[in-house]
Amino acid sequence: MKSIEIFCDGSSLGNPGAGGYCAILRYGKYEKIISGGEFHTTNNRMELKAVNEALKSLKEPCAIDLYSDSKYVCDGIALWLEGWVKKDFLRVKNPDLWREFLSLSASHSVQTHWIKGHSGHHENERCDQIAKAEALKYKEG
């Protein structure tokens, strides 16, 4: 398996409101940036959407080190997901995106790493800037 790093962030202008996401994928010296947004969404949806869109771009099974400033994403993947599946996502927010994550991540090995947001972490700051810029594209008025 190839080892890659994925750095992700999501943004929402209002919660709900216009939102954006960004993922930076790194394999050795190669880097790819994926970003986008939605008109009416939440911060947590954009955080998870960044992960899912990054996984969609992978062409083969990988060992992934996933870096996010979202406890929702990191703890969801590492701690809560198994229990949510057993309860068929009963009373879980964003079950559509979590089910999509399960499907997209099935062939990969994903290790999450929580990083403190706005603490000077270079990739996290880049993702944050890009996600906010994407969200602005979807802001009405």
Side-chain angles (χ1 to χ4, degrees):
M1 278 188 160
K2 290 182 179 175
S3 294
I4 69 163
E5 294 176 305
I6 298 176
F7 304 89
C8 295
D9 201 14
S11 178
S12 180
L13 307 175
N15 211 14
Y21 63 85
C22 176
I24 299 172
L25 292 82
R26 185 176 295 144
Y27 174 66
K29 64 180 180 175
Y30 300 101
E31 191 174 275
K32 180 177 186 177
I33 296 175
I34 296 170
S35 63
E38 296 179 5
F39 285 103
H40 188 77
T41 190
T42 65
N43 186 63
N44 282 344
R45 284 190 69 81
M46 292 294 92
E47 296 279 2
L48 188 52
K49 181 87 170 179
V51 174
N52 288 352
E53 293 303 314
L55 292 174
K56 285 178 187 177
S57 73
L58 300 176
K59 295 176 175 47
E60 62 187 81
C62 296
I64 301 166
D65 281 304
L66 175 69
Y67 297 87
S68 174
D69 63 5
S70 170
K71 285 280 196 182
Y72 174 71
V73 166
C74 291
D75 288 349
I77 293 168
L79 303 174
W80 307 329
L81 194 53
E82 187 177 326
W84 289 344
V85 169
K86 287 179 184 174
K87 294 179 182 178
D88 196 29
F89 295 93
L90 186 66
R91 291 190 295 278
V92 173
K93 292 184 179 179
N94 308 310
D96 58 325
L97 292 178
W98 284 112
R99 285 186 174 101
E100 183 179 41
F101 171 80
L102 282 171
S103 174
L104 293 168
S105 66
S107 65
H108 306 288
S109 171
V110 180
Q111 179 70 42
T112 60
H113 305 275
W114 178 79
I115 52 177
K116 185 175 181 177
H118 311 289
S119 64
H121 186 281
H122 179 70
E123 290 83 4
N124 182 255
E125 297 294 340
R126 284 176 63 203
C127 282
D128 182 66
Q129 289 173 351
I130 294 168
K132 284 182 179 171
E134 288 290 342
L136 285 170
K137 293 178 185 177
Y138 290 85
K139 186 174 180 184
E140 295 176 10

